[in-house]
Amino acid sequence: MALSGMRGLSVFISDIRNCQNKEQERLRVDKELGNVRTRFKNEKGLTPYEKKKYVWKMLYIYMLGYDVDFGHMETVSLISAPKYPEKQARSYSTCMLNENHDFLRLAINTVRNDIIGRNETFQCLALTMVGNIGGREFAESLAPDVQKLLISSSCRPLVRKKAALCLLRLYRKNADVVNVDGWADRMTQLLDERDLGVLTSSMSLLVALVSNNHEAYWSCLPKCVKILERLARNQDVPQEYTYYGIPSPWLQVKTMRALQYFPVIEDPNTRRSLFEVLQRVLVGTDVVKNVNKNNASHAVLFEALSLVMHLDAEKEMMSQCVALLGKFIAVREPNIRYLGLENMTRMLMVTDVQEIIKKHQAQIITSLKDPDISIRRRALDLLYGMCDVSNAKDIVEELLQYLSTSDFAMREELSLKAAILAEKFAPDLSWYVDVILQLIDKAGDFVSDDIWFRVVQFVTNNEDLQPYAALKAREYLDKPAIHETMVKVSAYLLGEYSHLLARRPGCSPKEIFIIIHEKLPTVSTPTIPILLSTYAKILMHTQPPDPELQNQILAIFQKYESCIDAEIQQRAVEYFTLSRKGPALADILAEMPKFPERQSALIKKAEDIETDTAEQSAIKLRAQQQISNALVVTDYRPPNGTPPPVSSLNLVKVSSTSSNSDYNSVDQGADHTNGTVSKSDSQTASADLLGDLLGPLAIEGPPGAATSEQSVLSGGDVPSAADAAAIVPVQDQPNSVQPIGNIAERFHALCLKDSGVLYEDPYIQIGIKADWRAHQGRLVLFLGNKNTSPLVSVQALILPPLNLKMELSLVPDTIPPRAQVQCPLEIINLRPSRDVAVLDFSYKFGTNVVNNKLRLPAVINKFLQPIQLSAEEFFPQWRSLSGPPLKLQEVVRGVRPLPLMELANLFNSCRVMVCPGLDPNPNNLVASTTFYSESTRAMLCLVRIETDPADRTQLRMTVASGDPTLTFELKEFIKEQLVYIPEASHGPTQVPAPAVPQAPVIPPDDPAAILAGLL
Amino acid sequence: MIHFVLLVSRQGKVRLTKWYSPYSQKERTKVIRELTGLILTRGLKLCNFVEWRGYKVVYKRYASLYFCMCIDQDDNELEVLEIIHHYVETLDRYFGSVCELDLIFNFHKAYYILDELLLAGELQEPSKKIVARLIAGQDSLVEAAKEEANSISNIIAQATK
């Protein structure tokens, strides 16, 4: 046994373990890190062994949770290490790194040398490193070499199995690297491999390949079945590859997984063989004592079940599967029960087995009360999936009962699911109201606003339901402590419908008012406006008027007239004025009209959630993965996440008519500041839910009351609604989405740096990160959904100018809530030009369609590489480029006055390098750079600026290069940078700056016109 | 695919981490914190799977150590559970009845062995015997390099005397 190890490392670990407290540990760690750093600085004294030791020490510290800065010195000293221990250390130093770390970029070449070299040990180390951490750049430069190793006949299995998985990693990073002619045939040959290590690795690779493109790999299908036969019949599998007597369960599982990506199996012989194998697995798997053997055989069994479900052919086999699953969900062993429930849910999605599964309902409900939350979650999902009209009542009541005892982590999901099932399958509507009110009562904290909005909608739209709902609400108010959501919903319902109860005991307007008003001190600010509306409604419904009640309510309105919350204050003021209108009040505060029918927000919400949970069959999931290769990172939603705050802007917009003109001018201003065209369609017919429910509460009664009431409020001084509308510019629509920040300024800022925000509005943020290398660039768009609901119909089109070749990877149609999607964009610069690419971007949020045309900062200076020239290099070039069209001179006026230093900085940030000391005149600047494009290759560009210290607003500029177009374009570009004045667009005196012409409305279908307009 | 492997002690001390999907340093710390909170508190007789952030974590406790692997929703859970056991058996064979202390003081060996077992988040070698052979080969290489270094430094030392 070679446990000799590293003494220094062991000593260090013992030291750490002997530390009495965290503080001591930190001191020890800091000391060690300082030591490591100094040792690496004086690199000469480091032996390979020491380097290795220090890397492991750093890794240990990293594992303890400390920040370890893997610095430049360490990097350099490890990169070209020739010896085994150092190479090994290099390989492990990557454990601390992310795949985007600079170290890796620098290491590509050395790693490649190891891979193509003859030394097997080094090959293995290099493949391990790339396989575990290699990124996109590795994929591009190493894939062919790795492929060669995999199919090489001279390599030993230990190298080839690593090559297979390494290739899998590279393929995940960039799918194109394996799209080579004839690779499918190679894969087929690989499946004949005798070595089971290589075969297992190759099978993992195959699973990834067929999941993206099964058509190319048809020829692998019969081979997979052959492998299964060989394993299942236990033919010539070496002893070391059996696991507890089972021939490599992992390979069996992987092979069955690969087969699930082929839609059908046509060849009858292959099909028969496969069914034989599956039958053998289904029948022959017994429960045994040994846990590991049991797990392994059931791993195979469950995979076989999935495969049978996928093939969905033999009725008899399917019922065999259902029977097995029915057995599994009743066993004591928790793992098997969990998987039984999970697979039963999957089965629901695939085939028509609902009736058989219903027989197990009681058993499933037992699992809902299991001590294990994992199992409870599966049971909940299954119950949700199997619910229909016939069993909804039982299931929902079971869920409600469970709600009071369930743990917090599940309550939100549970209440949402109960609410949806109640809505979907309600046998009668009063039952639905009962369920929702119980839900709020039992788990108010976990009931999102959507749920109570929905119940209000139902009650409003169903007259028969109104007295019942009001009565129920009244009953709940008698309870000693009720949840705030219950206060909201009952106050709303009683405000609207309590007059229907007037004859019942305890339901006179006065009693209703008193019992609701009791709750007021206990509620939070957003609820108070709802209560105020209720009071106003009660007041209106009290016929004949009760002067005492009236005084009480008016006193409350008066009290809140000076409330600090604008919404409360406004309602109080309005209701106070309104309530003095006498009979007119009845019109204004009449019952709410019916809501337009719409899809339930809950069901929509559930659909979003479903995409995150295991609801879908494996097949569907995979199908989704294929749609886009963009990376979706979803934020974790807290289990008891607070519902999105009520959009106050919407409320104010609907209810505050008196300040209408202010808003219009704001909107107008915002529209003018854009350098781009921003268009936003909205279907006002069904504005968003909150607007519907809460907005109209404030004032809007029957349509038509609005205008009269407005003049009531404003005393006739403020223009009426029609006049106000006239102020609104034509292109401005009431619900238009305004961008945050100035788009033109953001664009100009991005011209000078490589990452930042390109566009932002209340729903989405588009960020950019770019990486430029000679005439190529890679720009990643980060599309971030800022909301708790998804953005749909997302579309992004690139309209490239003639000088750029651009390729945008697929943009997913939907951005999940609070998620960010990354879409890489490859750019190749063909020739010099100042034309700018445009991103035509649109998405839908709720009913708003937002469309924006955004300029992309892939501008000419991104293809420049600064270069510092000496006098000896500069002047001969300068002289040889004589006169137009290669050398152009222009006097530029109207320049932003900048001190010379800042001017130099501006040039440097444009990637034109100022070469100090070349021009004898201190007021002049000389700069140089290299331009890269496909047509010009690398081309030197020289710039000279002569400034006038007396007048900084003008200067003389001379630009020279070996290409006339380049000279011209570069000159114009620099001129733009010099005269661009960002403040001009929203100064108080709006003089349109000639340098940045505002884009008027442009026909969206003509890219040329858009470009012209933008430039 | 396996997104990461995590070994934590019952006290929540991290003994080994291996990341096959990109996570920033900050995310890694967060993941570890969340998962230790989730897994260490689970009772003994519960199932070996925990649902977490749209992923599944398969874990198993061996004496004082929890071995956790995070996989995709639709991966085969039992298969991964046995990969964990396969790893433990391989460690056991190498160290000879492995205990937590072995893994603390020889955590680099635990990494070497893991790297022979898993690559790119997939199982690489299902045979314990072959893994053992490969690790023994590596050990002898390290020994050889050490001896060579010693002899060279001896020569240098003597030459500069």
Side-chain angles (χ1 to χ4, degrees):
Chain A
M1 181 113 356
L3 279 179
S4 50
M6 293 166 267
R7 215 177 63 85
L9 181 63
S10 303
V11 170
F12 172 62
I13 294 174
S14 311
D15 279 3
I16 291 285
R17 284 173 58 77
N18 289 333
C19 286
Q20 300 292 322
N21 52 40
K22 203 78 193 151
E23 193 44 42
Q24 275 186 13
E25 187 184 293
R26 172 168 285 284
L27 282 174
R28 182 69 187 87
V29 163
D30 284 345
K31 185 180 150 205
E32 195 62 37
L33 281 177
N35 179 24
V36 171
R37 214 161 288 138
T38 30
R39 290 310 302 269
F40 267 100
K41 252 183 208 139
N42 322 321
E43 202 206 314
K44 271 182 197 144
L46 278 185
T47 63
Y49 164 76
E50 279 172 315
K51 278 186 200 167
K52 183 175 113 173
K53 183 176 77 187
Y54 289 132
V55 165
W56 280 113
K57 276 186 182 171
M58 275 160 50
L59 192 54
Y60 190 80
I61 293 170
Y62 179 81
M63 227 165 55
L64 290 175
Y66 293 93
D67 271 357
V68 174
D69 187 23
F70 191 72
H72 186 69
M73 287 317 288
E74 291 87 335
T75 313
V76 172
S77 88
L78 283 172
I79 253 169
S80 48
K83 291 265 163 49
Y84 180 75
E86 292 167 286
K87 279 185 193 287
Q88 204 181 24
R90 178 182 71 197
S91 184
Y92 283 93
S93 64
T94 58
C95 290
M96 291 178 274
L97 306 179
N98 205 302
E99 69 178 57
N100 302 317
H101 199 277
D102 279 343
F103 172 82
L104 296 165
R105 205 166 284 161
L106 294 170
I108 288 186
N109 253 332
T110 10
V111 169
R112 176 156 189 269
N113 287 337
D114 282 349
I115 287 180
I116 55 179
R118 293 267 169 75
N119 186 323
E120 196 175 59
T121 321
F122 293 171
Q123 279 177 334
C124 284
L125 277 179
L127 289 171
T128 306
M129 176 176 154
V130 178
N132 284 335
I133 192 113
R136 210 183 150 85
E137 284 170 62
F138 280 82
E140 277 147 21
S141 38
L142 298 179
D145 300 317
V146 177
Q147 268 170 319
K148 253 179 237 155
L149 286 188
L150 173 57
I151 53 178
S152 143
S153 53
S154 58
C155 277
R156 286 207 295 157
L158 81 144
V159 178
R160 292 178 56 217
K161 67 184 185 198
K162 282 190 169 31
L165 289 176
C166 185
L167 191 61
L168 169 60
R169 166 105 192 178
L170 300 180
Y171 173 73
R172 282 184 185 141
K173 295 294 157 191
N174 180 1
D176 293 337
V177 298
V178 186
N179 289 343
V180 191
D181 273 348
W183 185 249
D185 296 337
R186 303 281 193 183
M187 277 313 292
T188 321
Q189 284 163 21
L190 273 175
L191 298 183
D192 289 330
E193 175 64 44
R194 301 303 296 171
D195 182 278
L196 285 191
V198 179
L199 190 56
T200 307
S201 301
S202 306
M203 197 54 84
S204 293
L205 176 61
L206 181 69
V207 170
L209 293 174
V210 290
S211 70
N212 270 331
N213 177 9
H214 62 85
E215 274 133 4
Y217 296 93
W218 272 117
S219 49
C220 296
L221 196 152
K223 301 265 175 166
C224 289
V225 177
K226 280 244 163 60
I227 293 171
L228 275 183
E229 275 189 294
R230 173 182 160 195
L231 292 172
R233 297 216 184 115
N234 205 356
Q235 286 167 335
D236 72 328
V237 177
Q239 175 60 35
E240 68 221 54
Y241 282 102
T242 53
Y243 182 82
Y244 289 89
I246 302 164
S248 190
W250 297 288
L251 182 54
Q252 291 196 49
V253 167
K254 284 249 145 40
T255 315
M256 290 187 190
R257 185 50 67 98
L259 285 170
Q260 287 169 56
Y261 290 100
F262 295 101
V264 284
I265 298 174
E266 273 154 3
D267 177 49
N269 286 331
T270 315
R271 206 180 150 82
R272 196 173 334 108
S273 318
L274 179 60
F275 276 111
E276 258 177 50
V277 172
L278 290 174
Q279 187 67 40
R280 191 190 283 259
V281 175
L282 291 187
V283 178
T285 308
D286 289 323
V287 179
V288 290
K289 262 227 165 109
N290 183 301
V291 185
N292 301 102
K293 182 168 184 169
N294 226 7
N295 285 343
S297 64
H298 280 79
V300 177
L301 176 60
F302 276 107
E303 204 59 47
L305 278 174
S306 306
L307 184 52
V308 173
M309 276 191 251
H310 165 75
L311 296 169
D312 188 18
E314 312 265 305
K315 259 267 140 358
E316 197 188 324
M317 226 177 199
M318 280 307 269
S319 44
Q320 230 176 324
C321 290
V322 182
L324 265 178
L325 288 176
K327 205 173 89 191
F328 289 156
I329 61 168
V331 298
R332 289 239 331 260
E333 217 282 295
N335 286 343
I336 303 294
R337 193 140 44 94
Y338 174 94
L339 293 171
L341 291 167
E342 181 179 41
N343 282 284
M344 219 177 225
T345 315
R346 283 184 188 159
M347 192 161 237
L348 272 178
M349 305 284 164
V350 184
T351 49
D352 188 24
V353 286
Q354 204 139 5
E355 288 310 311
I356 315 175
I357 291 181
K358 267 190 206 162
K359 288 185 202 148
H360 301 288
Q361 191 167 316
Q363 186 60 50
I364 299 166
I365 287 173
T366 328
S367 283
L368 192 61
K369 291 157 192 161
D370 196 271
D372 187 347
I373 186 169
S374 300
I375 289 179
R376 288 198 301 268
R377 281 222 164 94
R378 286 299 109 231
L380 174 60
D381 265 1
L382 180 52
L383 283 176
Y384 178 72
M386 64 190 275
C387 190
D388 63 15
V389 190
S390 71
N391 56 8
K393 233 173 162 161
D394 294 341
I395 290 185
V396 171
E397 261 145 39
E398 204 55 63
L399 294 185
L400 280 177
Q401 208 186 14
Y402 172 51
L403 194 59
S404 9
T405 55
S406 72
D407 39 346
F408 292 105
M410 269 180 81
R411 285 197 183 179
E412 195 194 9
E413 196 187 344
L414 194 61
S415 52
L416 181 66
K417 287 198 157 146
I420 291 169
L421 292 180
E423 181 183 331
K424 255 188 179 167
F425 303 115
D428 58 89
L429 286 170
S430 52
W431 178 76
Y432 170 71
V433 172
D434 283 347
V435 169
I436 301 297
L437 291 182
Q438 273 188 57
L439 210 58
I440 297 173
D441 186 41
K442 284 186 170 161
D445 280 338
F446 302 92
V447 173
S448 63
D449 278 346
D450 294 336
I451 294 180
W452 80 265
F453 291 168
R454 191 70 184 153
V455 81
V456 165
Q457 275 180 33
F458 260 105
V459 174
T460 310
N461 289 7
N462 292 286
E463 275 165 39
D464 308 343
L465 201 55
Q466 290 162 359
Y468 180 78
L471 188 65
K472 276 280 162 189
R474 173 72 187 78
E475 281 171 14
Y476 273 106
L477 282 181
D478 278 336
K479 284 193 155 193
I482 59 173
H483 192 266
E484 189 165 339
T485 308
M486 188 60 95
V487 176
K488 287 183 196 170
V489 67
S490 43
Y492 186 97
L493 291 174
L494 288 173
E496 290 288 328
Y497 309 114
S498 63
H499 59 282
L500 302 173
L501 306 176
R503 299 229 180 104
R504 291 172 192 266
C507 294
S508 72
K510 188 154 179 149
E511 283 162 304
I512 299 265
F513 166 73
I514 289 171
I515 195 159
I516 294 179
H517 193 53
E518 269 174 15
K519 313 288 180 202
L520 187 103
T522 63
V523 299
S524 61
T525 317
T527 309
I528 296 177
I530 298 178
L531 295 190
L532 293 184
S533 302
T534 305
Y535 299 162
K537 295 247 174 180
I538 291 178
L539 199 58
M540 181 269 290
H541 279 305
T542 315
Q543 295 303 342
D546 174 349
E548 196 193 332
L549 178 66
Q550 194 172 11
N551 288 339
Q552 257 179 320
I553 293 179
L554 287 181
I556 296 168
F557 289 156
Q558 248 172 337
K559 180 182 154 204
Y560 281 105
E561 271 181 354
S562 52
C563 178
I564 195 161
D565 182 87
E567 183 63 32
I568 299 177
Q569 187 187 33
Q570 190 174 357
R571 288 199 191 198
V573 171
E574 287 173 1
Y575 292 146
F576 187 74
T577 320
L578 284 171
S579 53
R580 304 189 149 191
K581 291 292 152 195
L585 188 65
D587 282 342
I588 298 163
L589 289 173
E591 229 164 73
M592 288 290 292
K594 287 186 177 175
F595 290 92
E597 278 306 321
R598 57 160 71 95
Q599 198 205 343
S600 163
L602 293 185
I603 292 178
K604 255 193 270 176
K605 190 171 169 187
E607 281 165 0
D608 304 339
I609 289 178
E610 270 171 31
T611 49
D612 309 338
T613 57
E615 300 260 310
Q616 284 155 315
S617 68
I619 305 144
K620 267 199 217 159
L621 261 176
R622 276 168 225 141
Q624 272 190 343
Q625 284 163 0
Q626 289 162 29
I627 296 170
S628 160
N629 58 353
L631 174 74
V632 178
V633 203
T634 313
D635 267 0
Y636 172 62
R637 287 190 53 212
N640 54 350
T642 44
V646 174
S647 142
S648 55
L649 181 69
N650 247 333
L651 287 177
V652 175
K653 269 200 163 175
V654 178
S655 56
S656 69
T657 34
S658 52
S659 55
N660 225 348
S661 45
D662 288 347
Y663 277 108
N664 291 336
S665 57
V666 169
D667 290 352
Q668 227 173 343
D671 243 22
H672 275 283
T673 50
N674 302 340
T676 58
V677 198
S678 161
K679 196 175 74 192
S680 156
D681 307 340
S682 61
Q683 290 130 11
T684 31
S686 52
D688 75 323
L689 191 64
L690 292 175
D692 266 10
L693 255 181
L694 295 181
L697 272 178
I699 27 170
E700 198 186 75
T707 30
S708 61
E709 153 218 338
Q710 188 185 38
S711 45
V712 168
L713 283 176
S714 54
D717 290 338
V718 171
S720 72
D723 290 341
I727 310 172
V728 183
V730 186
Q731 74 269 26
D732 181 40
Q733 284 167 7
N735 264 347
S736 67
V737 175
Q738 293 302 337
I740 300 168
N742 184 330
I743 297 178
E745 270 174 31
R746 288 185 190 275
F747 169 75
H748 278 278
L750 283 170
C751 286
L752 301 181
K753 55 183 192 175
D754 284 337
S755 61
V757 175
L758 179 69
Y759 172 84
E760 185 168 4
D761 68 25
Y763 305 121
I764 195 167
Q765 187 188 51
I766 305 182
I768 272 191
K769 200 171 169 193
D771 187 13
W772 307 96
R773 208 156 294 175
H775 68 285
Q776 291 174 340
R778 183 178 150 85
L779 196 151
V780 184
L781 292 171
F782 293 83
L783 311 175
N785 181 354
K786 295 161 68 176
N787 289 277
T788 44
S789 43
L791 295 179
V792 294
S793 307
V794 178
Q795 282 188 334
L797 269 179
I798 296 285
L799 313 171
L802 291 172
N803 60 311
L804 297 176
K805 203 164 103 187
M806 302 178 111
E807 209 172 310
L808 180 65
S809 70
L810 269 175
V811 177
D813 185 58
T814 308
I815 306 179
R818 310 208 68 84
Q820 196 185 53
V821 177
Q822 302 181 7
C823 306
L825 171 67
E826 305 290 343
I827 302 170
I828 294 175
N829 186 23
L830 303 173
R831 63 185 83 85
S833 164
R834 278 171 304 127
D835 292 347
V836 180
V838 172
L839 171 71
D840 182 352
F841 182 80
S842 62
Y843 67 89
K844 214 165 137 188
F845 181 83
T847 54
N848 285 348
V849 176
V850 183
N851 178 272
N852 270 296
K853 300 210 166 47
L854 304 165
R855 286 182 287 174
L856 285 177
V859 285
I860 192 167
N861 67 319
K862 303 287 182 185
F863 304 103
L864 297 176
Q865 290 278 352
I867 178 171
Q868 181 107 42
L869 292 186
S870 64
E872 298 82 63
E873 293 161 321
F874 186 89
F875 288 109
Q877 290 283 346
W878 184 256
R879 269 181 234 118
S880 71
L881 302 166
S882 54
L886 295 181
K887 189 192 243 170
L888 296 172
Q889 194 167 69
E890 187 178 333
V891 175
V892 187
R893 292 179 213 286
V895 175
R896 256 189 296 175
L898 289 177
L900 207 61
M901 265 309 287
E902 282 188 35
L903 195 63
N905 285 341
L906 178 70
F907 271 85
N908 285 337
S909 61
C910 288
R911 304 193 190 205
V912 182
M913 181 98 143
V914 173
C915 310
L918 286 193
D919 201 308
N921 185 339
N923 287 318
N924 293 356
L925 284 180
V926 164
S928 59
T929 188
T930 320
F931 175 80
Y932 290 88
S933 76
E934 216 167 59
S935 67
T936 59
R937 295 286 155 198
M939 172 98 32
L940 189 67
C941 309
L942 307 171
V943 182
R944 181 164 184 239
I945 303 286
E946 293 154 278
T947 63
D948 178 358
D951 182 3
R952 289 237 167 257
T953 63
Q954 61 172 348
L955 49 79
R956 186 164 72 177
M957 171 164 69
T958 317
V959 178
S961 83
D963 181 275
T965 341
L966 175 58
T967 308
F968 176 77
E969 296 288 339
L970 187 62
K971 187 196 77 178
E972 292 299 309
F973 175 78
I974 295 176
K975 200 164 85 186
E976 273 171 24
Q977 295 302 317
L978 291 173
V979 296
Y980 167 68
I981 302 166
E983 291 78 17
S985 48
H986 48 107
T989 50
Q990 287 217 350
V991 187
V996 217
Q998 304 278 324
V1001 182
I1002 285 165
D1005 49 349
D1006 182 359
I1010 293 161
L1011 290 175
L1014 287 171
L1015 297 169
Chain B
M1 108 178 236
I2 298 168
H3 294 280
F4 55 82
V5 177
L6 189 63
L7 263 66
V8 277
S9 72
R10 256 174 78 191
Q11 290 77 32
K13 286 242 189 291
V14 180
R15 297 301 178 209
L16 181 144
T17 56
K18 182 92 193 174
W19 309 85
Y20 297 101
S21 291
Y23 291 85
S24 70
Q25 196 146 328
K26 227 167 120 191
E27 286 166 325
R28 291 179 184 189
T29 328
K30 203 172 148 213
V31 165
I32 294 172
R33 205 179 41 233
E34 269 179 35
L35 279 183
T36 44
L38 204 62
I39 290 173
L40 266 46
T41 51
R42 278 174 68 84
L44 271 177
K45 286 188 177 158
L46 307 185
C47 69
N48 296 95
F49 323 124
V50 176
E51 293 170 24
W52 169 80
R53 292 207 209 180
Y55 293 104
K56 278 191 185 145
V57 178
V58 178
Y59 73 94
K60 190 158 182 184
R61 183 175 153 185
Y62 290 89
S64 54
L65 258 190
Y66 284 85
F67 288 68
C68 318
M69 292 188 181
C70 172
I71 54 172
D72 288 318
Q73 284 273 4
D74 57 345
D75 282 345
N76 190 318
E77 296 89 345
L78 286 177
E79 177 205 21
V80 177
L81 189 60
E82 287 319 287
I83 291 183
I84 291 180
H85 188 71
H86 180 47
Y87 181 41
V88 174
E89 283 187 339
T90 315
L91 288 173
D92 204 53
R93 181 184 274 221
Y94 181 79
F95 288 101
S97 169
V98 66
C99 66
E100 194 182 338
L101 269 182
D102 287 328
L103 297 185
I104 294 172
F105 282 99
N106 294 288
F107 75 110
H108 52 301
K109 305 274 180 183
Y111 271 106
Y112 296 153
I113 294 172
L114 186 63
D115 272 349
E116 288 304 326
L117 221 74
L118 294 180
L119 185 61
E122 305 282 350
L123 181 71
Q124 181 193 165
E125 183 52 71
S127 156
K128 286 187 279 287
K129 197 166 133 196
I130 290 183
V131 173
R133 206 159 64 208
L134 292 173
I135 296 292
Q138 281 184 15
D139 282 342
S140 60
L141 269 176
V142 173
E143 283 304 307
K146 218 172 176 178
E147 268 164 32
E148 189 191 343
N150 282 340
S151 62
I152 289 177
S153 56
N154 281 343
I155 293 167
I156 295 172
Q158 289 192 342
T160 49
K161 237 175 210 171

